[in-house]
Amino acid sequence: MAAGGYTVVTSPTDFGAALTSLSAEIASADVPGNGGASALGAGASPDPAPMTTSETQERPQRPASTSSKPKRTSKPKPTTTTPRTTSSAPPTTRTTQRTRQLTVTPEVTTSESPEPRPTLTDRVVALVNDVRADHGCGAVTVDERIEQAASKHSTDMAQRDYFSHDTPEGVGFAERIENEGYARPGAENIAKGYRAAEDVMDGWMNSDGHRANILNCDLNTIGVGLDTNGWLWTQDFGY
């Protein structure tokens, strides 16, 4: 309501209407010609009153766009031009290389079986020839028939437990050698208990009869037998 030139707001709900009315009064008071006096009046002060204000900012509208989106133009595809080159293959030349053919014969190595280790009887034969050579006699050679007769006699003595030039049946060395097919028996030496060739040779050489058989230069064949069951030796010679 208006009282004495003021607009009095009696309640907060009338604030909007009063503000409008006050603006109109101020506008009429400032009209040129009235001396620019304020509608509030000089020396007057309004009664204070509680106020609440709210401010709302409207969202500005986006101006309509007048620019149109440019059309997308496709870029022209680049064209590649492959220069056409013509090249002819270089002429081929045939080179004939003269080679010398070599024939290489591989070296062939034959694996020989190792020589058998000399037996004790072989060692006795070697020792016999050594002492015969020392006394000017020729070497004796091994004859398989005489060797077979000597070996059988050593085994027979070991198995039947006797030690003699004659078997229990009375068969002597000459007959045994002839039974093996050798026609010219010469002599026989026997021994027992010796386990080395050197030892049995020493025993024979220290006996006159055995020594004489070994150094008989007329004898030219030999055969030695051994049976280690009792260490029985037989040494037979032939002409």
Side-chain angles (χ1 to χ4, degrees), residues 68-237:
S68 62
K69 188 176 183 180
K71 293 184 179 180
R72 184 177 182 181
T73 59
S74 60
K75 295 181 180 180
K77 293 183 178 180
T79 58
T80 59
T81 303
T82 304
R84 185 175 181 182
T85 59
T86 59
S87 62
S88 59
T92 59
T93 58
R94 182 177 180 180
T95 303
T96 304
Q97 184 176 3
R98 195 171 186 180
T99 60
R100 183 179 179 184
Q101 185 175 2
L102 299 177
T103 303
V104 179
T105 303
E107 183 179 354
V108 179
T109 58
T110 57
S111 58
E112 297 180 357
S113 57
E115 294 183 0
R117 183 177 181 181
T119 62
L120 292 175
T121 57
D122 293 335
R123 179 59 178 161
V124 168
V125 173
L127 292 173
V128 167
N129 284 327
D130 287 344
V131 298
R132 283 172 68 89
D134 292 340
H135 292 79
C137 295
V140 290
T141 58
V142 176
D143 188 283
E144 292 181 358
R145 295 165 294 180
I146 298 178
E147 186 178 52
Q148 189 72 9
S151 179
K152 286 181 179 180
H153 187 55
S154 293
T155 301
D156 188 52
M157 288 190 293
Q159 290 178 352
R160 297 204 284 176
D161 194 20
Y162 72 92
F163 182 66
S164 172
H165 290 286
D166 296 333
T167 67
E169 293 78 22
V171 179
F173 79 92
E175 187 177 354
R176 291 193 302 270
I177 292 174
E178 289 174 350
N179 290 340
E180 295 298 329
Y182 193 85
R184 300 180 65 188
E188 181 178 82
N189 291 334
I190 61 175
K192 181 180 181 180
Y194 296 97
R195 300 196 177 197
E198 291 77 9
D199 293 341
V200 73
M201 277 297 294
D202 288 343
W204 284 330
M205 291 299 291
N206 291 326
S207 170
D208 293 340
H210 300 89
R211 180 186 176 91
N213 289 337
I214 293 172
L215 297 178
N216 185 348
C217 293
D218 293 334
L219 299 174
N220 52 38
T221 56
I222 189 175
V224 181
L226 170 64
D227 193 308
T228 57
N229 184 17
W231 292 93
L232 289 155
W233 300 80
T234 300
Q235 185 182 63
D236 286 337
F237 295 93

